[in-house]
Amino acid sequence: MANVIIIGAQWGDEGKGKITDLLSRSADVVVRSQGGVNAGHTVVVQEQTFKLHLIPSGILYPETECIIGSGTVIDPEVLLEEIDQLKKLSISCDNLYISQTAHVTMPYHRLIDKASEERRGKYKLGTTGRGIGPTYADKAERTGIRIVDLIGKEKSIEKIKWTINYKNVILENLYHLKPMDPEVVIAQYLEYAEVLRPYVIDSSLKIDQAVRQKKNILFEGAQGTLLDLDHGTYPYVTSSNPIAGGACVGAGVGPTIIDRVIGVAKAYTTRVGEGPFPTELEGEIGELLCDRGAEFGTTTGRRRRCGWFDAVMGRYAVRINGLDCLAITKLDVLDTLEEIKVCVGYSIDGNNSNDFPTDPEALAKSQPIYETLPGWQQSTADCLSLEDLPKLALDYLKFLAEQLEVPIAIVSVGASRGQTIIIEDPIHGPKRALLDVNREPQ
């Protein structure tokens, strides 16, 4: 039995969906613990692409139970669309469960999100406009609507009506938008509630039962470490906690049940939206990474900013999350490069540092200190083991492991399931990975 957290070790979009999908074959339960429809996980199976926003990637395995935890914010319309899409592809959702205490993204959240972002002007954050921030804001303000409210009785309906009227004051007077008709919104969302009702459970209790039955549980993160509300590059962050500690809060479990934390990182770095990005490449190489890596957001379709691997940021992710192994994705994107750079430190106002600055002004001024490694200039797309990799590609991976002082358990060399080198299964394998700085691959 193993309980494993998968988190993004960069700014999100690291390929967590594929890694979760791969590890789900060894998991009995997969739990989504935070975020909302602003997250997008892409999984490619036998040339068929699945794009999931709310439903855990483990849904592609019919025996795996998939739980959307209380820390996730749920847009019922999008969730039902995902369920319908999966059913049309003959993917069963019989093992899908939704926390009754998860908060609901309402239509006014989307309106406020877009209007607020527009009003920020040059201070815009680059949000997805899907209403995630306002949903979490209502949660903190204690005016949020939860799943249990939607499936509740008359008292809950009155609460929802009051909330919509309250939001109408903001829509009309602050953003000069048309008010929403409470009756229309309530009628629509009650329809959603009836369809979702069979999936609704006490998710924390169900997870606890799985723990007591010694099942393998995978906690699936959304976004990435540097987008964490408390520990990311604030204010250019998401509205939840995508770090490992957030998985426990959002799922409703204690940290003592966690056995391992695996961080997912690309072999280079990307970021969507605004905010500082020390290793960003704006020229030919940045375009090459974007084109070869198909770096367009699953949720928004926005082009991602690309740059070299940032080991300073990587070490920060190791510390914040307590990572004990890594999954490196998109190694194949680097196949054609003559040389590859890795940021090993920052120069800030003439002073060198190996630590990631939490002061946003310091980060904005950080200049990367690079080490340059030779590229392997041959395809890795068909490599099935470490022995198949070009020596220089293996050297590159070892260098990353050395810089982050964390071993590598998985290497992805393409989008499909088969294009993956699993050095160690973090669920069933021993608590150490084989690609370590002091050991040769076996």
Side-chain angles (χ1 to χ4, degrees), residues 14-15 18-19 22 267 327-333 380 410-416 419-421:
E14 301 96 344
K18 175 183 176 178
I19 303 304
L22 284 166
I328 300 295
T329 64
K330 295 197 173 185
L331 181 69
D332 56 300
V333 174
T380 58
I410 297 171
V411 180
S412 174
V413 292
S416 69
Q419 292 178 293
T420 312
I421 301 170

Side-chain angles (χ1 to χ4, degrees), residues 357-379:
T358 54
D359 178 350
E361 290 187 13
L363 181 62
K365 293 187 291 185
S366 296
Q367 298 298 313
I369 300 170
Y370 288 119
E371 285 202 26
T372 302
L373 287 76
W376 44 95
Q377 294 187 279
Q378 62 186 96
S379 176

